[in-house]
Amino acid sequence: MLHFSRWQTIFIWLAVALGVAYAIPNIVPASYLSSMPSWAPSRPMTLGLDLQGGSHILLQIEKKDLIDERIVTTRDDIRRILRDKKIGYTGLGGSGQTVQVRIRDASEYDAARQALNELTQPISSGLFGGGTVRELAMSEPELGLLRFTLTEEGINYRVSSALSQSIEVVSRRVNELGTTEPVIQRQGDDRILVQVPGLQDPQRLKDILGQTAKLTFQMVDQSVPVQEAINGRPPVGTSVKYSVDDPPVPYLIEDRVIVSGENLVDAQATFDQRTNEPVVSFRFDTKGATRFGQATQQNVGRLFAIILDDQVISAPQIREPILGGTGQISGSFSVQSANDLAVLLRAGALPATLTVIEERTVGPGLGQDSIDAGKIASVIGSVLVVAFMIAVYGLLGVFAVIALVANVTMIIAILSVLGATLTLPGIAGIVLTVGMAVDSSVLIFERIREERQNGRSVVQSVDIGFSKALATIIDANVTTLIAAVILFYLGSGPVRGFAVTLAIGIATTVFTAYTLTRWIVADWVRRRRPKELPRNPIKLVPDETRIGFMKLRRVTFTLSAVASIAAVALFMTVNMNYGIDFRGGSSIEVQSREGPADLADIRARLSDLNLGEVQVQEFGDPREVLIRIQAQDGGENAEQTVITKVRGELEDAYDFRRVEVVGPTVSNELARAGTIAVLVSLFAILIYIWLRFEWQFAVGAILATLHDVIMTVGFFVVSGIEFNLTSIAAILTIVGYSLNDTVVVYDRVRENLRRFKKMPLPQLLDLSMNQTLSRTTMTSLTTLLALVALFIFGGEVIRSFTAAMIFGVVIGTYSSIFIAGPLLILFRMRPGGAQADAGAQDDAEDPAAGQLPAK
């Protein structure tokens, strides 16, 4: 076990060197990276929006718009076909997903049906494996009545096509804003995820993405006064549209479109040479220029309207034919609004309306604050862990620290290479990884010391210690890896970020804590040939402990049962402080530009907006305020209206540092996905432990973990800490930590069950708990040191998150001793009390059985 070939040594240190090389771009200045050779790694790790600022917007395509448009098109097609065939009809109309028409003359019924049959023919599709799609189905509910219904596959085809086209349009719009490395990708069947890091003006992004930008040029009908058309009925082929002015001006517009935005080849924001006002200059393609020229030549003296999304931007008079294919759109533009309109026109129109159903915006100032706080907390936490390990293990602690530094370095390197994004929950994954890495080192060192105390030589102790610790390390890490994989596939957003970081951390932990540490210790043994292991400068747990943990099992079971029932009762009766992730609504963090924020003034100003329940509270600093607004009854668009109103009311005196909006659709999905992910993870882990151990171990581990989850939920209820997606990540971290702890204890119990076949189970469990006590204490303290540093120095945003994790580590340590162990007695892990009692004397005569060695 301690022999390494030259190639093994080269491979181990090559892996570490590559980790360092790919991690370096994350710590050196960007200016230095530009001067590095082209072959050298230069890609830093991608920081999440919660760490660097920016906008996360989830858009949903409005399926109803596409259905309504297809119904209108179908109705027009039916009218055209029947007129061309000179077939009389009546009652042509559409509603929902159907269009129907009645044929007047029964003798023309077959001809009409045959003519309209072309509407139901399959169309070729690049989707669905390159096959065909039938969009319309024709039926005959009664003689003379034909009904056309949109098929489900036809609707799905239209939605999928519109989504692909929308992604292209959104990409062009976002890229026109000059942002760096935006993420625009399809999510599900009808959604687009847009992430723009480092964005300075998130409201402008929402404005640009929220407009369909369908531009048309249509003639104004001046044959009838517009007011008469409003009061009565507009002439056939016309409709009333209103301008963007305040108050809006009505126009009677001919439905016939002269030219549409599809014929534009360019649009630029410029200035009118006569008035020096901002305008948008445009240029048509050849087809558009010809049609526009003919229309203006035939209608000199009339008004023509420039219409954007059913609103009249301007309606100038045609003074002379416009034959050059160019023109300009004038209106009450500012420089930015003219630029934005030009961006929209150049990018093209969306095929359907996109609704913002989730928004998470972090201002660049808050993002930088999170980075700075995270750096300080990480440095302090690292120093505490390093000092603690060296103080407790001396030279072996130095070896563990080297492996730990290599571990974190390799995590950062892999995240950089994969282009993965590091978020606050991702940091939680790294914290859990640090705890597991330290735990692996402690397991190995305690095993080595135990073997040395049993009289083996230093070389034998090191060899056997590593060998025995390997199975435990693998079991503990595989259970956590199962949870990480399932969470990645079933979770969403921050939960997936946590899962990615944790999975990478598990792989690097097994490599550094076992392989790298083993090489370092083997090299030390070979070079120094020590006669004794390095001394422990500080002993947290005596070499020999004889604590009767199982004698307390009735007390601990009773206390845990009462506490768990109380936690469930509180959860059922007391309203948990759910964040907007689970109940919908808006959360806004603002910072006063001058002096402390006036909470009473903010409440008074927002109460006049009729937004429902509004909570206003100080958030970490007298200048910072957190505003929570209940979910609105008007649906997804109503949530965006809330943000617009609040901005208009407060932006004169406050900077908007963070904005989160979650609509009812997303909030329900997030709650369901998070719950399913946790439950499926626990079930998969139960199966693994069942296969690796026995069913009593599997059920015991799951029940102990469920106990920790229930107690943590109770902690959220009692403390009033907001429960959101990052809280799910905290619970998952606790699950991983608790399982890791329980599996380590169970592994020692399984080993002792094989060794002491006649020892009574309570005595055997006490022996196992005492043997692993030093390891349990060390792992808990090192993890708590890192978490306390994050809690004190990590900033307000992450404080509630780390508070829950600190509680979880404490309760997880308790459950692995006082819940997981006694459950094996409850499940009769070793049945036959008389036989066990009879065998107790035999075991007592065994020197090994009569001792309760530490660790």
Side-chain angles (χ1 to χ4, degrees):
M1 289 286 290
L2 295 182
H3 173 71
F4 288 86
S5 68
R6 178 176 297 178
W7 286 111
Q8 287 175 314
T9 301
I10 291 174
F11 172 77
I12 291 170
W13 287 104
L14 179 62
V16 174
L18 287 173
V20 173
Y22 281 95
I24 282 178
N26 293 280
I27 58 175
V28 300
S31 57
Y32 180 77
L33 292 177
S34 59
S35 61
M36 293 180 68
S38 58
W39 51 265
S42 59
R43 182 178 183 177
M45 181 171 49
T46 303
L47 297 178
L49 301 182
D50 50 1
L51 294 177
Q52 67 165 323
S55 285
H56 163 112
I57 295 176
L58 187 61
L59 302 164
Q60 185 174 51
I61 199 164
E62 288 296 332
K63 185 185 292 188
K64 185 177 182 300
D65 286 2
L66 295 171
I67 293 174
D68 291 346
E69 184 178 332
R70 189 71 185 96
I71 289 295
V72 170
T73 303
T74 302
R75 187 188 62 201
D76 293 343
D77 287 342
I78 293 173
R79 179 186 294 114
R80 172 182 55 79
I81 292 172
L82 293 179
R83 284 180 176 177
D84 289 345
K85 298 293 183 179
K86 295 182 172 50
I87 297 174
Y89 63 91
T90 185
L92 175 60
S95 63
Q97 298 182 19
T98 63
V99 179
Q100 62 184 29
V101 62
R102 186 176 294 277
I103 307 303
R104 286 201 185 107
D105 191 343
S107 63
E108 296 180 325
Y109 181 61
D110 290 338
R113 185 172 54 183
Q114 186 175 355
L116 294 174
N117 193 53
E118 69 176 73
L119 298 179
T120 65
Q121 296 303 307
I123 60 173
S124 60
S125 166
L127 307 172
F128 305 104
T132 58
V133 174
R134 188 184 299 273
E135 288 195 86
L136 289 168
M138 183 169 61
S139 61
E140 307 167 17
E142 59 183 79
L143 187 63
L145 181 67
L146 296 177
R147 179 174 296 165
F148 296 84
T149 305
L150 291 178
T151 65
E152 198 61 35
E153 65 171 345
I155 294 174
N156 292 337
Y157 164 69
R158 288 285 172 180
V159 170
S160 184
S161 299
L163 191 64
S164 299
Q165 184 180 343
S166 297
I167 290 174
E168 294 180 9
V169 174
V170 168
S171 298
R172 289 196 294 267
R173 291 184 184 182
V174 173
N175 291 331
E176 287 278 1
L177 295 178
T179 56
T180 57
E181 297 185 2
V183 175
I184 301 159
Q185 61 189 27
R186 183 179 190 139
Q187 190 167 89
D189 296 328
D190 59 352
R191 295 177 185 176
I192 302 172
L193 174 64
V194 180
Q195 290 183 332
V196 185
L199 188 66
Q200 299 292 327
D201 188 359
Q203 187 60 39
R204 185 185 179 203
L205 174 66
K206 277 201 309 179
D207 291 341
I208 286 193
L209 295 181
Q211 291 192 55
T212 308
K214 287 189 176 181
L215 181 74
T216 58
F217 295 81
Q218 297 168 241
M219 298 305 301
V220 176
D221 188 337
Q222 296 172 281
S223 63
V224 177
V226 67
Q227 198 59 45
E228 183 179 320
I230 294 173
N231 296 333
R233 185 173 181 178
V236 176
T238 66
S239 55
V240 177
K241 298 185 186 298
Y242 292 85
S243 73
V244 293
D245 302 307
D246 189 15
V249 177
Y251 290 91
L252 186 60
I253 306 296
E254 294 182 3
D255 292 340
R256 182 175 60 92
V257 174
I258 300 171
V259 189
S260 71
E262 296 176 358
N263 300 115
L264 286 178
V265 293
D266 191 26
Q268 298 291 336
T270 57
F271 290 93
D272 191 309
Q273 295 181 353
R274 295 169 298 176
T275 62
N276 205 34
E277 292 180 347
V279 295
V280 176
S281 298
F282 59 84
R283 180 163 55 89
F284 290 119
D285 58 16
T286 304
K287 180 180 177 182
T290 302
R291 294 178 63 179
F292 192 67
Q294 291 174 348
T296 55
Q297 197 169 26
Q298 296 168 3
N299 294 282
V300 172
R302 292 185 60 187
L303 301 180
F304 79 96
I306 302 173
I307 301 171
L308 181 70
D309 292 343
D310 261 358
Q311 287 186 298
V312 179
I313 298 178
S314 63
Q317 186 180 39
I318 303 174
R319 302 186 184 278
E320 58 185 17
I322 305 173
L323 305 176
T326 61
Q328 67 181 31
I329 304 172
S330 59
S332 301
F333 291 127
S334 64
V335 173
Q336 180 168 307
S337 63
N339 272 315
D340 288 349
L341 178 56
V343 166
L344 292 172
L345 298 181
R346 287 198 301 272
L350 291 166
T353 304
L354 294 177
T355 302
V356 178
I357 59 174
E358 181 185 6
E359 175 194 358
R360 300 180 191 275
T361 297
V362 178
L366 180 60
Q368 189 59 48
D369 289 348
S370 297
I371 294 174
D372 295 340
K375 287 180 178 177
I376 294 172
S378 299
V379 169
I380 294 174
S382 300
V383 170
L384 290 174
V385 170
V386 167
F388 183 74
M389 288 295 291
I390 294 175
V392 173
Y393 282 108
L395 182 60
L396 292 179
V398 174
F399 297 158
V401 167
I402 293 172
L404 185 60
V405 171
N407 189 2
V408 176
T409 301
M410 293 179 76
I411 292 174
I412 295 173
I414 294 173
L415 288 173
S416 302
V417 171
L418 295 179
T421 301
L422 180 66
T423 60
L424 286 177
I427 291 177
I430 293 179
V431 170
L432 178 56
T433 299
V434 168
M436 293 175 66
V438 169
D439 181 50
S440 298
S441 297
V442 171
L443 273 170
I444 294 167
F445 297 157
E446 293 299 324
R447 275 291 193 177
I448 292 173
R449 290 192 180 282
E450 188 175 329
E451 295 302 323
R452 181 60 179 150
Q453 287 176 6
N454 289 337
R456 302 185 189 276
S457 67
V458 172
V459 175
Q460 288 177 321
S461 298
V462 171
D463 194 17
I464 296 174
F466 272 101
S467 178
K468 286 187 174 181
L470 177 60
T472 306
I473 292 173
I474 290 177
D475 281 333
N477 283 277
V478 167
T479 53
T480 312
L481 181 62
I482 290 172
V485 171
I486 292 174
L487 292 172
F488 178 80
Y489 283 103
L490 297 183
S492 59
V495 174
R496 298 189 76 180
F498 167 83
V500 169
T501 308
L502 182 58
I504 293 171
I506 290 169
T508 57
T509 293
V510 173
F511 173 77
T512 57
Y514 185 77
T515 305
L516 179 61
T517 304
R518 186 160 57 92
W519 187 95
I520 294 173
V521 173
D523 185 68
W524 168 70
V525 170
R526 188 177 64 254
R527 291 177 183 274
R528 299 285 180 166
R529 301 187 182 278
K531 301 297 183 183
E532 275 299 334
L533 294 173
R535 294 184 177 276
N536 294 28
I538 297 175
K539 282 190 177 181
L540 295 176
V541 178
D543 287 338
E544 249 184 64
T545 57
R546 296 174 178 271
I547 302 173
F549 293 107
M550 295 306 107
K551 293 179 181 178
L552 302 173
R553 67 180 184 274
R554 290 181 176 85
V555 176
T556 57
F557 263 6
T558 302
L559 290 176
S560 295
V562 170
S564 298
I565 292 171
V568 172
L570 286 171
F571 175 74
M572 300 294 290
T573 58
V574 178
N575 288 328
M576 182 184 280
N577 184 18
Y578 286 108
I580 64 170
D581 295 320
F582 299 122
R583 63 176 180 175
S586 306
S587 177
I588 306 166
E589 185 183 337
V590 299
Q591 185 181 59
S592 173
R593 293 197 181 110
E594 295 182 6
D598 189 340
L599 301 186
D601 176 63
I602 293 175
R603 288 192 189 97
R605 293 167 72 174
L606 296 184
S607 64
D608 296 336
L609 300 178
N610 297 320
L611 303 176
E613 181 185 349
V614 177
Q615 299 176 6
V616 180
Q617 65 186 66
E618 187 177 299
F619 190 66
D621 185 274
R623 294 178 58 203
E624 297 177 4
V625 179
L626 181 63
I627 303 168
R628 292 192 183 96
I629 302 171
Q630 72 171 51
Q632 304 298 298
D633 295 331
E636 316 288 354
N637 288 321
E639 302 293 347
Q640 292 301 315
T641 303
V642 167
I643 303 301
T644 303
K645 288 182 177 180
V646 174
R647 280 189 182 276
E649 191 66 37
L650 300 180
E651 65 183 353
D652 58 330
Y654 295 89
D655 291 324
F656 281 68
R657 290 164 62 82
R658 179 166 59 94
V659 175
E660 294 186 3
V661 182
V662 178
T665 303
V666 173
S667 63
N668 292 333
E669 291 174 358
L670 292 176
R672 185 172 60 253
T675 304
I676 291 174
V678 173
L679 294 178
V680 174
S681 299
L682 290 176
F683 179 75
I685 291 166
L686 183 147
I687 298 299
Y688 174 79
I689 297 178
W690 196 327
L691 294 174
R692 285 285 292 143
F693 294 78
E694 294 181 40
W695 71 265
Q696 292 97 331
F697 289 106
V699 177
I702 295 303
L703 288 178
T705 304
L706 280 175
H707 163 269
D708 299 342
V709 171
I710 291 171
M711 295 301 294
T712 305
V713 170
F715 171 77
F716 275 103
V717 176
V718 172
S719 65
I721 293 175
E722 181 180 293
F723 190 84
N724 50 33
L725 268 185
T726 57
S727 304
I728 290 285
I731 288 179
L732 296 173
T733 309
I734 293 163
V735 167
Y737 181 88
S738 178
L739 279 169
N740 181 74
D741 216 15
T742 302
V743 168
V744 169
V745 172
Y746 275 179
D747 193 78
R748 181 56 66 97
V749 172
R750 179 177 60 173
E751 180 182 327
N752 286 333
L753 282 169
R754 294 169 179 167
R755 184 179 179 188
F756 308 122
K757 298 184 182 300
K758 298 180 181 180
M759 181 183 290
L761 188 57
Q763 184 180 342
L764 184 140
L765 290 172
D766 277 338
L767 172 65
S768 303
M769 301 300 171
N770 280 279
Q771 287 176 332
T772 57
L773 183 60
S774 179
R775 167 259 156 206
T776 300
T777 305
M778 281 287 302
T779 302
S780 298
L781 284 176
T782 50
T783 307
L784 285 173
L785 284 174
L787 288 173
V788 168
L790 279 174
F791 179 79
I792 297 175
F793 303 103
E796 192 67 31
V797 174
I798 202 174
R799 186 158 291 144
S800 61
F801 172 76
T802 49
M805 286 180 59
I806 289 172
F807 175 84
V809 168
V810 174
I811 205 70
T813 304
Y814 162 85
S815 71
S816 64
I817 296 174
F818 293 105
I819 303 297
L823 280 173
L824 298 180
I825 300 176
L826 185 66
F827 296 148
R828 297 183 179 275
M829 183 68 205
R830 177 178 283 170
Q835 181 184 353
D837 290 339
Q841 182 64 34
D842 296 335
D843 277 340
E845 295 173 0
D846 184 348
Q851 298 175 1
L852 290 180
K855 306 163 282 298

